[in-house]
Amino acid sequence: MSEYIELHARSAFSFLEGASVPEELIAACSELEMPSMALLDRDGVYGSPRFHLAAKKNGIRAHIGAEISVQRPKDQSPKTNFARTEDIFSIPVLVRNRRGYQNLCRLISLMKLRVPKHAKPGECAVIPEELAAHADGLICLTGGDDGPLSGQGDTRKKQRIAEWLTAVFGKRNVYVELQRHFDREEEARNQALIEIAVRTDLPLLATNGVGYATPAQREVADVFTCIRNHVRLETAGRLLAQNSERYLKSAATMLKLFADLPEATANTAELSSRLEFTLEDLGYVFPKYPVPHGETMTSFLRQRTEEGACLRYTGGNGSPTYEQARPQIERELILIEKLKLEGYFLIVWDIVQFCRRAGILIQGRGSAANSAVCYSLGITAVDPIGMELLFERFLSEERGEWPDIDLDLPSGDQREKAIQYVYERYGKLGAAMTANVITYRGRSAAREVGKALDFDEETLSRLSGLVHTWEWKDPKDSSERQFRDAGLDLRNPRIKKFFQLYQMVQDLPRHLGQHSGGMVICQGQLDSVVPLEPAAMPGRVVVQWDKEDCADMGLIKVDLLGLGMMAVLEESIQLIRDSSGEEVDLAHLPPDDNSVYAALQKADTIGMFQVESRAQMSCLPRLRPQKFYDIVVQVAIIRPGPIVGNMVHPYLKRRQGRELVNYPHPLLEPVLKRTLGVPLFQEQLLKMAMICADFSGGEAEELRRAFGFKRSEARMKEIEIKLRRGMQRNGLSGKVQDEIVQAITSFALYGFPESHAASFALIAYASAYLKCNYLAAFTAALLNNQPMGFYQPFTLIKDAQRHGLKVLAVDITCSDWLCTLEPEGEGAETERLGEAKTNGRGERETRRWRDAEMGVDCQMSNTLVSVSRHPFALRLGLRYVKGLSEQSGRAIVRERTARPLAGIDDLRNRVPELRKDELRKLAAVGALNFIQIPRSPVSAKPKVHNPISNQKTFSVGDEVWEKKGVHRRDALWQVERVVRSAGALYEELLEKDGNSPLTPMTRSERIDADFRGTGLTIGKHPVAYYRAELNKLGVIRAIDVGKMRNGSLVRIAGWVIVRQRPGTAKGFVFLTLEDETGVSNIIITPQIFDRNRLVLVDHPFLLIEGALQNQDNVISVKAKCVQPLSFKVAAAPSHDFH
Amino acid sequence: MFACIYSQNIKESLSLANFAYVFSPLVEETKQDTVVIDVEGCELLFGSAYELANEVSVRAGHLKVDGGLEGKVNVAISSNPDAAIHAATFLKGITFISPGEELTCLGDLPVQVLDYSLINLEKKQADEIFETLRLWGVRTFQEFAALPLAGIAERLGPQGIQLQQLASGKTERHLKLKQPAPIFANSIELEHAIAELEPLSFIFARLLNQLCATLNAYALATNELLVQIKLADRTTHERKLSLPYPMRDHKVFLKLLLLDTEMHPPQAAVVAVSITCQPVKPRVLQNGLFIPLAPEPEKLELTLARLAKLVGKENIGSPEIIDTHRPDSFRMKRFALKSKPDFRKRRGGSAKRQSAIGNRQCLGFRVFRPPLRAIVKADQGCPTQISAWGKQRSVYGKVVSLAGPWRTTGDWWSNDRWARDEWDVALESASGIKKHGSQSQVLYRIYRELNNGTWFVEGNYD
């Protein structure tokens, strides 16, 4: 047995107060042959799962504890009403048994949940009474520099504190801690502590107050001190460490250090032997679901499953019958009961039921879609029996891991409602989000290290600019080269030091965030399993462990993920219901809608879920989806797995009949038949192992994990031997074995589960169906849920317009906060023409002027292909006016609904929330052009719609109003009058009428104002205005590119809407250009990119000359020459570098 | 009428205002590159306004020695100084604007170039108005001027009216005439070279008298005197006297200067003396009733100067401890009286960084300066015997007891990193320093530089 155990160490999970991750501490501990070690992070057990797992791997016993901030007892602190930093000390506590661990978690939760997330030091501390109530099972050390016995003060006072600690924790549970870091003052304090220990009869305990694993990491600790105190290394002075002695020291070194106090080191081993608790003994119990009297969770789950299965497995539409499904359901239920997971399934079912009741769309995704029970309970929408999915991918007995159910919800308020329901149902201390540990990476590391080294702002910007956001990394792009290119010399000692530190801080924890949707549930006792703390978002509580840690510790979680497209689907259905009364049921969409497959085959997929990206669009015309399963394949095929594993081209060739369908072995035909002999899904990989090597479902899943993200050479080797042995047994030859092993090895890392692809494909189909059949509602919903997806609103609108949708400008007389639908028909058109005459212009002329002002793109609809007429037009919402707050926007709608707005003065008076800049913005984008002007209230007439008269009149109460158009500058002129006062001197000069002397905006001014004010224009595409000039240059339109011969040299021009440099594309850059007729795809070779880097990255409009490539109707232009176009029109920024 | 002269690339050594004084005494230095002169009544000297403008333009091209600017200038003449400024700034060559024709010349200029500082408008206000004009589509002076006055008053307020008047060339204002700056320098060239201090002191006294009189006239003082002495060997002897407080007492200056000259005498006979001072606001001080009287700063300065003469400037001042773990780290700062005792600083200031223990066991420590290089015998890293000899003292003996090592390392990010181990050792009294007669042991602090392993004795404890 070692004579010394380190019982006081902090990791980087003390956030800026420790410089090594738990794994590094354990590695050092293992090297020093120390049999156990304790981790005591500041006010938390953030790093304990990683510490525990690393220790387990190395055969080390991991003791758990924490340094708890405690308020000084009242009789010990100066009389003041305020908690000051000096009134708080840090008490290191070690967990002795499970009760102690639960108490520690509760203590930390109490302290953290009392104050907001970013509480100041002094606000977040345990009060002495709380400590006393939760001291059972904990061992108290007296700490180091910031412990209760540190600091100035006479020995008698310190003795009183020691006596207080003894009273709180019990006589045997307090140790007087001695640390020796070769510090004169510390030694003087040690002598005082020895005296106190003798007087109070407390045992001594030697520790090193470890802050890092190796002496070299002291530099990181110093940098963290600077970051914490907002100082530079040069000016930090004595805030920095005095020396580098807080590293993990060997037993021999510690024995030598404490040679005069052998009992202090001997006590470490004695105390270690008293610490029974490890995280193996967490005490987490699976959540229970409250069932009606007389029922058990098992019977309740069985009933609910049976009810659901009867409804779902009807045998209709080619789905299995209930009888066919029953054996699989029974098999699953038996396993669920065996693993005692009934409560978990019922809890998820309960959440789904709540969402159904509240009208919130919800759908399970991921491996849960492999379960027939989940399908029967309505958790998932994909039938795993019908699709022959593998249940073991979701749950297996052998694996010893708990299932992971991901639920997709509409992002935003709806998802928040579901989260709040879980809190409400299981109590504040019964449910919490999983954490997300934010680590030092890239720019943040560069900036903060640079600041500590006192680099000036310019150098800091250059240094942080070195961290590329491009996904593709040039192999020649060494750090030396990057630094040299940025004008920084790595031979300069300070730059060199920066570089060293930058690398050292990579991946060290910085602070705790919250995971996007993972929730852990534990029936009102979660705070005894893991400490809870508030999230930055009000009403949210997070656990101190991240998703991986929770999984490693066996905590079951439910992922409530926000999916923008779910919100779009939900809102589209609502819009359709509100506008036409039609009810669209997503669960019963026509399965073979021709328009959907026609659009997919043409890659006309802008705005559709999962199939709108450039890579998907270039694959669609080759894959030509004809049935739902093709969409499942389409969703899964453009992924790193199939791409890296070279599966895409064989599959497409076989699909087009250009390559024979064959299988590595006849045994595999049933598994690979659906994907033409090419493995595309993880389930296929699992089944391959099951068939070829007689693996059980659980073993196959184990194999997938072994080859997955957390690869371990030894484990992989072990499983490969097992796999080959099994294949040998089944008579598979060496070559076939190699082929299968190769497929599994390359694919397991990035493969996509079929169940997940199927869940996504359902949403993709629904989005495509809505786009093809209810374009107005779908586009409005898409616009209302931005930002999301692949394209900017401008591109979405242009695409919708090309499909014949009429888009109407923002107008405060009819726009809501969100985009809405307006009936579009003869009446509406006449009404529009009627209005135009009001201004005394000829009908045609006025229409032209009005179209320009409103942005109606008549020319576009003439120039484009088949344009179907839609019954509804899309009215842009006020949310698209940049800088207009939601509060103001909604106030406008509220007032307008109560009574029409009588001019800009009236608007200003009735909507006091509107700031002057908001009014200006509304006027600049033309939203005030149609505000009503009051006419004399002579006679009340009913609402009249006169197609001949050029004005629309209607009555509200006794007043008669006329709706009269003004141009944007008129509105701007009026707006300025209402927002600013003239001043006393000029009162006599005030104008009598509000007639504007300003001229209307020109075309380019309007486009500019549109882009500045809304980020889009509903008028003609900016490129369209330059078509004549472009024609002279020989530029062809995007719509005409497809008509050109393959290999011919073409010139195309447009606005760059997407720039991509994917990691798998070997440095190639892909641009998407848009003109008034559509989009075209450009391929830029690395050489062309290097030559034209600035032009390609910075310019919004480009002219590209290159060779046309038409492969199976996938059209792209391989650029040979790139030129910037200096169009004098504005454009929205592109969507870059995915 | 007003003429504005604008020169974009004027050399730093040249002054546009000095150039303008040739034509009129009424000069406004609007900016460094723009001046406006009132040319009313200049006809007799230069002919018509156009001829005057021509003369300005021609003379600007002359060399510096001929009173020129060695470059081209724009000249604009107008009845409105602001219109002249805009015209000179944006129209090349000579521009003559007849009264009422301002917009004919300036109407096409973009509104953003309006020099709003001429009407004392702040940048933020002006930017707001420019943004409104941009939204209105008003691009030029002409378009801005054409907007109705009432409309502008209602929408842009008084500032808008002023800006519109500026664009129309209708502002009314007087020139802010430039005053010649006072000169706080004095010099004298001697007919015969002086080689002794006494006659030189008369020269200093004369120059300082005049200088202090000028400072007095402007109610200013100085805290820096620059003395340049030309010597017979054609070299220049320069001395700079920095004072802790602003003063203007010529007697004090003289004494300080003489003391300094005694400490740093010129290497050859003096042929010319020049004294320049940096004018600053004088010190205003009201002492509290209960604050003990401190010596007059002037007298203190003289005393310090006398002491510096005796012990050397580098050996006088107040020591200041530097906030670092580096042992014996301090710097000397100039001695100065505190104007007010800083109670607040004493209470809270460095509490966070202070020592963790009380002072109850602290011993007095005498530092050897410089530390004594030592030869130390060590057993397993612990010193057992020490020998160190210096000029004034020597330390040697067997270590009877010790404490340590106390390790400090730091500045790892710079080239000046340090690392050392300190030991407190008790030696048998064989050393050169006897401790209070009868005691037989002396307590020393020794240390070892960890970078090179060299040992030193740093001092002894009382």
Side-chain angles (χ1 to χ4, degrees), chain A residues 416-430:
Chain A
E416 189 57 30
K417 267 188 207 167
I419 289 173
Q420 290 305 327
Y421 169 75
V422 177
Y423 280 133
E424 202 179 294
R425 183 116 168 93
Y426 301 98
K428 264 242 145 40
L429 301 178

Side-chain angles (χ1 to χ4, degrees), chain A residues 151-152 182-185 187-189 218-219 222 229 233-234 236-243 245 497 916 920 969 972-973 976-977 980 982 986 989-991 997-998 1005 1012, chain B residues 128 132 134-139 147-151 153-158 161 323-325 352-353 355-357 405-410 412-413 415 417 422 424 445 461:
Chain A
Q152 294 182 356
F182 301 132
D183 179 356
R184 197 179 259 112
E185 290 175 0
E187 190 50 36
R189 190 175 63 222
R218 175 258 178 116
E219 296 181 2
D222 277 353
N229 292 287
L233 282 163
E234 294 283 357
R238 283 166 297 161
L239 288 173
L240 301 181
Q242 189 166 343
N243 54 39
E245 295 300 317
K497 185 52 79 183
K916 60 182 176 183
R920 276 188 204 133
R969 290 251 165 80
L972 280 164
W973 182 252
E976 287 305 325
R977 190 167 58 85
R980 216 191 289 244
Y986 298 92
L989 286 174
L990 298 187
E991 64 188 8
L998 305 175
E1005 280 175 342
R1012 277 173 187 257
Chain B
E128 202 178 335
T132 308
R134 188 191 66 75
L135 287 170
W136 286 353
V138 173
R139 296 175 197 82
L147 293 178
L149 186 65
E154 273 194 304
R155 286 160 183 86
L156 303 182
I161 296 278
D323 180 17
T324 168
H325 290 300
K352 202 173 165 192
R353 305 184 185 201
S355 121
I357 57 158
W406 316 121
R407 185 165 296 159
T408 48
T409 61
W412 47 264
W413 58 89
N415 292 331
R417 57 167 59 199
E422 285 177 12
D424 296 322
R445 180 186 295 175
Y461 291 95

Side-chain angles (χ1 to χ4, degrees), chain A residues 801-849:
Chain A
Q801 285 178 327
R802 282 193 291 270
H803 286 83
L805 181 71
K806 185 173 175 183
V807 182
L808 302 171
V810 183
D811 178 353
I812 65 155
T813 64
C814 34
S815 284
D816 281 354
W817 172 247
L818 296 173
C819 299
T820 48
L821 305 187
E822 285 183 15
E824 168 69 359
E826 284 304 308
E829 184 66 12
T830 321
E831 184 180 297
R832 195 162 60 79
L833 293 174
E835 280 172 30
K837 281 189 179 175
T838 323
N839 301 303
R841 297 169 172 93
E843 186 175 309
R844 186 176 293 174
E845 182 201 342
T846 313
R847 180 173 177 179
R848 223 177 16 245
W849 168 72

